[in-house]
Amino acid sequence: MFRSFGLLHAASVVLTAFIANERGRRWWVWALVAAFLPVLALILVLVLPPPVQAGRPGPAPLHCPTCGRMPPGNARFCPHCGSSVHPDGKIVDISKDGNP
């Protein structure tokens, strides 16, 4: 009985380390955690979102073609000149005549 438990425990540690490595995490840290808490480590490595990579380029900031300034990310209108921001990312100037 203890032999099968040892094999199951070792398999859990290896599986947790493999999954952690595939998801971009440090496999040796997760293997160490799985050595002490095998079931919890396996559940956590499966549930946690992938880590954020430092230096990874995000979406380019949107600049207003009318005034050249950058409106906030979720703005519908440029706070500097009043141009409308469309959902597709284009900014259309409606401040002069009211029509896009």
Side-chain angles (χ1 to χ4, degrees):
M1 176 165 166
F2 291 113
R3 183 177 172 179
S4 63
F5 176 74
L7 290 174
L8 185 62
H9 185 262
S12 174
V13 170
V14 170
L15 180 63
T16 302
F18 177 76
I19 293 171
N21 189 42
E22 290 295 314
R23 294 185 178 218
R25 299 190 179 277
R26 294 185 181 122
W27 65 269
W28 60 271
V29 172
W30 284 95
L32 188 63
V33 172
F36 294 103
L37 304 166
V39 176
L40 182 63
L42 185 60
I43 292 170
L44 284 175
V45 81
L46 288 171
V47 172
L48 288 176
V52 176
Q53 300 291 329
R56 175 187 261 172
L62 183 65
H63 289 86
C64 177
T66 305
C67 67
R69 294 182 180 173
M70 185 172 23
N74 59 352
R76 293 177 53 188
F77 296 92
C78 177
H80 308 288
C81 68
S83 297
S84 174
V85 180
H86 283 264
D88 61 356
K90 295 180 182 175
I91 297 180
V92 178
D93 185 14
I94 60 168
S95 61
K96 294 180 178 59
D97 61 0
N99 295 322

